[in-house]
Amino acid sequence: MDAGSLLRGMTEAQSQAVQHVEGPLLVLAGPGSGKTRVVTHRIANLLHQGVPDWQIAALTFTNKAADEMQLRLERLAPGREVWMGTFHRFCAQLLRRHAAMVGLKENYSILDAKDSLVAVKRAVQLAGVSTSHTSPERIANEISSAKNQLLTPEILLSQNLNPLRAVAAQVYPVYQRQLLIANAVDFDDLLLHIANLLRQNPEMRQQLDARFRFLMVDEYQDTNLAQYAIVRALSIDHPNLSVTGDPDQSIYGWRGADVNNILDFEKDYPSVTCIRLEQNFRSTPTILAAADHLIQHNRRRKAKRLFTDNLDGEMVVLRHFVNNYQEADGIAEEIIRAMAEDGASLGDFAIFCRTNSLTRSLEHSLRSRSVAYQIVSGVAFYQRAEIKDLIAYLNLINNPDHDVALGRVINTPPRGIGAKTVEHLQRYADQQAIPMLEACREVDQIVDIKKRGKTMIKKFVDMYDLIASKFAVPVMDQLKFVIEKSGYGKHLDAIDKESEGQSRRENVDEFVNAASEYDRKNPEDGSLEGFLEQVALISDTDAFDDSGQAVSIMTLHACKGLEFPRVFIIAVEDHLLPHERSRDDEAQFEEERRLLFVGMTRAEQWLQLSYCKSRAMRGDLRPAIASPFLNELPLQDMRQIESTPRQDWFDNEFDQSSQFDDDMPVFQVSDRGSASSADSSGDDSFDFGANQAAVDEFPEIQQDTSDVQKPADEPSPSEAAKAKAASFLNSVKTAADLATGASAPLTAYRKGSRVMHESYGEGTIVKVSGRGPKCVAKIAFADGEHDFRLAFAKLQLLDD
DNA sequence: AGATTGCGTCTTTTT
DNA sequence: GACGCAATCT
């Protein structure tokens, strides 16, 4: 491809950016302004100008963004290999080469957030600090933010201001020391170590600066101090740094991102060329105007003018619903309607929400209508217990010092090595400052461990040596060997037999496939180490499949960088968007506004915002209030749809005869209103108004309730009991919704079991009898009919 | 040792 | 609703 055709169809501003070769470049790119296109074309142009592949590196925040760029570049400049990837991957690979300089070995492991929390907990114990007024999570958070700001343990100790920081400062050095012993790093360390290396080794910095002569950073508004330091250090002798971003899309302030990095870029590099991409090629003018209207309300902001030549489209919809179930149903219905009438396809739709927990009712509604969906960043595949277990085995093989991994597998499957024994092992390891596997090998030295424990540990070490002896074979073979020899396979089969539900074995098989896929892609340089690195740095957002025929559901954070023809944003309500934890601080409040801005600007043709009158959260039905952001939209130009209230059971007279009305739609059968959700009645933010009325009106029901929940030792109903009664009524309402002949996805507790979510899949309701706590529904499933009883707070499967 | 159960706590966003 | 923890049972 020649230089001329690289510019075809580009605006003046775009082609200027593409043609920029030497010197710092700042591209302020509004949403949908063709930023990725500009970046990839610029890389192609650099190559065309004779810049060697290896002198260029493009840093992104997600693997998906990197893959997308890679793909597009391949079309522009086939066969050229430019390094593209996330900040974390970039640092991980550099660190492999220079591990020794920070006291690590090159086979170091990367801890994910969960693993790192485990390590922090251990460090808290060892440091001997009290967590009475804080939690390991908070401490971990504090350490993480310290790392993001490039603060060493020493600095943190010297400037302890608030009590939480002071505690974190005590734990931080202990934690760091343990990570070194375990030959491991956490996510933040990847950046921190590299930033420190670059600062402390001028020679190495110089070399790398020369090596990565042309550096590009995407989403620059989301860089934190560590990332900033790295980028700057690599652009001193060769300041061919090009950054793209949009201050209005900065949504990671909570993670240490600093918008000033982009706002002050011109100060850092006075000779910068600044280009603004303000023309939007994505959305209709109506959508763009609504988003622009909103973002104008941010005070701390660089003024920007967004415009588009696109044709006018439908009005933005602002829709109100009675509750979240209706909201979910309404969206599902709209999707079905748009597909039937407007020729839309499943992949056109996306649903965004503020928090992950909001996806639940959506799932129910879509599944019950057989609308295919994918949840981006839901319960992650790699976070499932069985997958994490296997990864831990592999980690321990690759890095025998990995204590977190050892802690995870030493008694999984059960090998008779109990908590007490592990504790003794850990203490010994801490004393000797050695990894725990080492301690296992020296188990004879540990006086506290009984003979039986010693034998068990020796057996475990033998097993380890066996599975670790297969080093340097394809990862898939290694994995299969582990599954067989560790006894984990048998263990899994036992579990799968025990609980009929989803098969863990299937997940494991999928993981084995992933391993074989890795082997196939890396026939030469494939190694366990590489596989583990890839697995550690993969994010759930990356699993998003845009070719698939499915509706996409994701958080507002996950939607950045994506676009969809039709977008729904749900729960635009106060305390959710803006989130209650971000309401008080103005900077955070503005970030919430940007979050909504990002969501709105993903839409190409059609956009709906919705909010509810009440929303079920944590088992309780809570009143919801419209988001203040809604008043900042051009409402007169939008289509507002009010809810048409369904006959809600507790909104009206309690009419017993109509309880099992056959026409009543089935909403959701679930275990709403759990017994543990009590004691919230004292809280002003809870309103049991409607339910409370029912409680007062039907004392006999309340009597039933207290019978079920408490063995008659409480004389008069407390506020808490009333609240429990209210949520109980909620459950009864659910039973009332069971209409004969309807089909419903059913999730239930198995009687007497702690197993949550025993899913029975789709079933048809054959018969409903009784009511209240005695209500029994007979439901036919593929494997036959089962009776379900709605007991207090739980849907129970009766004995077979 | 291991399984089970009840209880208390926390629940935003993620590389 | 999810999870960790501690008390209790098998």
Side-chain angles (χ1 to χ4, degrees):
Chain A
M1 185 166 290
D2 63 274
S5 58
L6 279 175
L7 301 175
R8 189 167 300 142
M10 291 217 165
T11 64
E12 181 60 32
Q14 286 179 327
S15 59
Q16 200 192 334
V18 169
Q19 286 171 286
H20 181 96
V21 178
E22 298 243 311
L25 173 69
L26 168 64
V27 179
L28 287 169
S33 58
K35 180 191 60 179
T36 310
R37 183 152 175 258
V38 165
V39 172
T40 48
H41 282 240
R42 173 160 180 262
I43 294 174
N45 187 52
L46 288 178
L47 294 170
H48 189 78
Q49 302 287 324
V51 176
D53 302 10
W54 51 270
Q55 281 187 354
I56 308 174
L59 302 177
T60 62
F61 277 80
T62 62
N63 292 302
K64 184 171 171 11
D67 292 347
E68 171 73 20
M69 258 191 217
Q70 195 82 257
L71 210 72
R72 294 216 211 170
L73 183 66
E74 178 61 27
R75 263 180 276 156
L76 296 173
R80 306 298 293 264
E81 287 186 16
V82 172
W83 198 95
M84 291 177 175
T86 63
F87 259 106
H88 287 84
R89 193 179 297 278
F90 181 77
C91 292
Q93 291 179 2
L94 276 183
L95 196 56
R96 276 298 159 216
R97 222 163 296 144
H98 307 282
M101 295 179 80
V102 297
L104 292 165
K105 296 176 223 161
E106 67 173 274
N107 64 334
Y108 72 85
S109 307
I110 301 168
L111 304 190
D112 67 15
K114 273 257 175 71
D115 292 342
S116 132
L117 185 61
V118 172
V120 167
K121 280 181 183 163
R122 187 173 162 195
V124 166
Q125 277 185 339
L126 196 63
V129 298
S130 155
T131 53
S132 54
H133 284 288
T134 176
S135 66
E137 284 83 3
R138 282 161 186 243
I139 295 173
N141 235 328
E142 205 59 32
I143 293 177
S144 168
S145 82
K147 287 182 175 179
N148 285 333
Q149 292 171 66
L150 295 179
L151 298 175
T152 61
E154 299 76 42
I155 301 175
L156 201 63
L157 265 174
S158 68
Q159 54 148 240
N160 46 8
L161 296 158
N162 67 58
L164 175 58
R165 280 226 136 171
V167 178
Q170 305 261 290
V171 180
Y172 187 6
V174 181
Y175 172 67
Q176 269 335 72
R177 204 161 55 236
Q178 299 228 311
L179 288 187
L180 278 188
I181 293 174
N183 188 26
V185 300
D186 61 24
F187 283 140
D188 304 310
D189 280 338
L190 289 171
L191 305 175
L192 181 71
H193 281 317
I194 294 300
N196 283 338
L197 277 178
L198 290 171
R199 189 168 50 185
Q200 290 156 8
N201 302 279
E203 207 167 297
M204 174 186 157
R205 188 209 63 72
Q206 237 171 344
Q207 276 177 13
L208 291 171
D209 190 344
R211 159 82 162 77
F212 298 108
R213 201 160 294 203
F214 292 86
L215 211 54
M216 276 163 240
V217 182
D218 199 18
E219 309 281 13
Y220 193 66
Q221 77 281 356
D222 287 330
T223 48
N224 60 33
L225 188 65
Q227 289 161 327
Y228 173 79
I230 293 167
V231 169
R232 283 226 68 179
L234 294 176
S235 312
I236 295 175
D237 310 324
H238 305 276
N240 305 315
L241 174 61
S242 141
V243 306
T244 56
D246 178 4
D248 287 338
Q249 295 185 58
S250 156
I251 56 176
Y252 285 102
W254 52 274
R255 214 173 69 188
D258 190 348
V259 209
N260 290 317
N261 289 346
I262 193 164
L263 294 176
D264 295 343
F265 191 78
E266 289 162 281
K267 280 188 213 147
D268 292 336
Y269 298 93
S271 64
V272 69
T273 307
C274 179
I275 296 174
R276 307 166 87 92
L277 304 179
E278 293 177 316
Q279 180 170 359
N280 177 296
F281 300 96
R282 178 186 295 151
S283 312
T284 62
T286 29
I287 292 170
L288 199 64
D292 199 44
H293 221 83
L294 174 77
I295 204 65
Q296 299 288 345
H297 288 80
N298 267 6
R299 283 171 53 198
R300 191 179 153 63
R301 153 167 209 269
K302 267 191 175 180
K304 194 168 39 181
R305 163 183 80 100
L306 297 176
F307 68 98
T308 181
D309 289 344
N310 288 348
L311 295 176
D312 256 312
E314 287 181 62
M315 280 197 279
V316 174
V317 180
L318 175 60
R319 192 158 176 192
H320 179 248
F321 290 99
V322 167
N323 58 39
N324 53 304
Y325 303 110
Q326 294 217 355
E327 183 183 46
D329 280 340
I331 288 172
E333 297 293 342
E334 166 61 21
I335 290 172
I336 291 168
R337 187 208 62 76
M339 291 206 297
E341 295 173 20
D342 305 342
S345 66
L346 283 172
D348 291 349
F349 299 94
I351 309 173
F352 304 150
C353 46
R354 177 66 233 265
T355 66
N356 281 307
S357 59
L358 290 169
T359 62
R360 239 177 294 266
S361 24
L362 291 171
E363 285 188 76
H364 263 292
S365 294
L366 292 175
R367 198 165 27 189
S368 67
R369 288 169 179 76
S370 304
V371 177
Y373 65 87
Q374 60 175 336
I375 294 194
V376 179
S377 179
V379 179
F381 178 74
Y382 287 98
Q383 304 239 36
R384 289 166 204 254
E386 59 273 24
I387 305 302
K388 285 214 74 169
D389 288 339
L390 289 175
I391 292 174
Y393 273 107
L394 295 181
N395 262 318
L396 198 60
I397 291 170
N398 179 56
N399 169 18
D401 303 342
H402 197 316
D403 282 1
V404 177
L406 183 124
R408 200 175 170 100
V409 303
I410 192 167
N411 205 29
T412 322
R415 299 190 170 86
I417 303 173
K420 264 274 172 298
T421 310
V422 174
E423 210 174 282
H424 290 136
L425 270 174
Q426 205 173 85
R427 189 167 314 139
Y428 181 82
D430 285 339
Q431 275 164 12
Q432 308 285 318
I434 55 171
M436 283 173 71
L437 188 64
E438 253 344 274
C440 287
R441 294 187 192 279
E442 295 172 20
V443 71
D444 283 333
Q445 313 290 316
I446 308 175
V447 282
D448 291 326
I449 295 178
K450 303 248 159 24
K451 197 161 166 217
R452 194 181 125 84
K454 286 182 175 163
T455 340
M456 294 309 198
I457 287 174
K458 282 177 187 162
K459 273 176 81 175
F460 170 73
V461 171
D462 287 344
M463 185 278 295
Y464 173 79
D465 286 338
L466 174 65
I467 58 172
S469 67
K470 267 229 171 199
F471 213 75
V473 295
V475 178
M476 185 185 73
D477 297 337
Q478 181 96 54
L479 182 57
K480 281 184 167 169
F481 194 65
V482 166
I483 294 171
E484 191 198 329
K485 298 296 180 190
S486 66
Y488 199 80
K490 269 192 187 159
H491 175 62
L492 274 181
D493 292 337
I495 292 179
D496 280 349
K497 231 184 216 164
E498 192 74 18
S499 63
E500 33 184 308
Q502 75 281 62
S503 155
R504 288 168 189 250
R505 198 51 190 244
E506 277 170 25
N507 292 332
V508 168
D509 290 344
E510 209 175 318
F511 186 52
V512 173
N513 285 341
S516 99
E517 176 75 6
Y518 175 84
D519 290 330
R520 201 177 55 75
K521 277 192 184 158
N522 304 279
E524 297 297 317
D525 55 337
S527 68
L528 189 53
E529 193 177 296
F531 178 67
L532 289 170
E533 179 183 303
Q534 184 179 310
V535 165
L537 295 180
I538 218 157
S539 80
D540 310 325
T541 321
D542 304 327
F544 167 67
D545 173 17
D546 48 6
S547 68
Q549 278 292 298
V551 175
S552 299
I553 305 175
M554 67 191 85
T555 63
L556 285 163
H557 283 88
C559 78
K560 194 169 64 156
L562 304 173
E563 56 186 15
F564 298 89
R566 291 160 184 268
V567 167
F568 300 88
I569 301 178
I570 67 164
V572 190
E573 290 154 20
D574 205 1
H575 299 285
L576 272 167
L577 186 65
H579 195 271
E580 52 192 343
R581 309 247 265 201
S582 304
R583 274 203 60 114
D584 302 329
D585 180 90
E586 197 192 337
Q588 290 184 48
F589 190 85
E590 294 206 338
E591 182 156 309
E592 297 285 317
R593 193 181 272 119
R594 289 195 292 269
L595 206 44
L596 180 56
F597 174 76
V598 168
M600 292 175 73
T601 52
R602 302 305 98 193
E604 293 170 7
Q605 305 159 12
W606 189 89
L607 172 66
Q608 168 180 300
L609 310 185
S610 60
Y611 63 108
C612 299
K613 189 170 141 201
S614 64
R615 180 171 297 277
M617 291 193 81
R618 290 184 221 153
D620 296 315
L621 202 64
R622 295 208 223 172
I625 311 161
S627 166
F629 295 148
L630 293 178
N631 279 323
E632 302 173 354
L633 296 169
L635 293 170
Q636 68 288 349
D637 299 328
M638 291 164 60
R639 192 171 138 223
Q640 296 189 51
I641 307 178
E642 279 299 305
S643 58
T644 43
R646 183 176 73 96
Q647 292 285 92
D648 239 309
W649 180 75
F650 47 78
D651 275 355
N652 297 291
E653 290 276 312
F654 180 32
D655 181 0
Q656 298 195 355
S657 61
S658 71
Q659 245 194 101
F660 302 116
D661 190 330
D662 279 3
D663 294 335
M664 221 172 214
V666 171
F667 262 59
Q668 190 194 28
V669 182
S670 76
D671 46 336
R672 272 188 284 149
S674 86
S676 61
S677 65
D679 259 340
S680 28
S681 55
D683 189 329
D684 286 339
S685 67
F686 290 78
D687 179 11
F688 288 100
N691 292 340
Q692 193 64 62
V695 173
D696 294 334
E697 206 177 331
F698 298 95
E700 75 277 12
I701 289 184
Q702 184 170 336
Q703 191 54 52
D704 277 1
T705 311
S706 30
D707 278 347
V708 176
Q709 69 169 115
K710 272 203 179 109
D713 57 7
E714 198 161 316
S716 71
S718 65
E719 284 304 303
K722 281 190 180 180
K724 285 187 183 181
S727 62
F728 167 66
L729 287 180
N730 227 353
S731 306
V732 178
K733 167 190 169 300
T734 308
D737 280 346
L738 292 174
T740 311
S743 81
L746 189 63
T747 306
Y749 289 81
R750 183 170 263 279
K751 188 179 175 186
S753 161
R754 221 171 111 80
V755 181
M756 319 290 274
H757 288 308
E758 190 96 358
S759 183
Y760 291 88
E762 197 84 9
T764 306
I765 299 167
V766 181
K767 192 180 146 204
V768 181
S769 56
R771 66 166 175 273
K774 286 176 186 147
C775 170
V776 172
K778 189 182 276 294
I779 304 179
F781 294 95
D783 65 333
E785 292 181 354
H786 298 289
D787 283 336
F788 286 83
R789 178 201 297 168
L790 193 80
F792 176 69
K794 286 180 182 178
L795 201 55
Q796 268 187 350
L797 175 62
L798 300 179
D799 278 333
D800 300 1

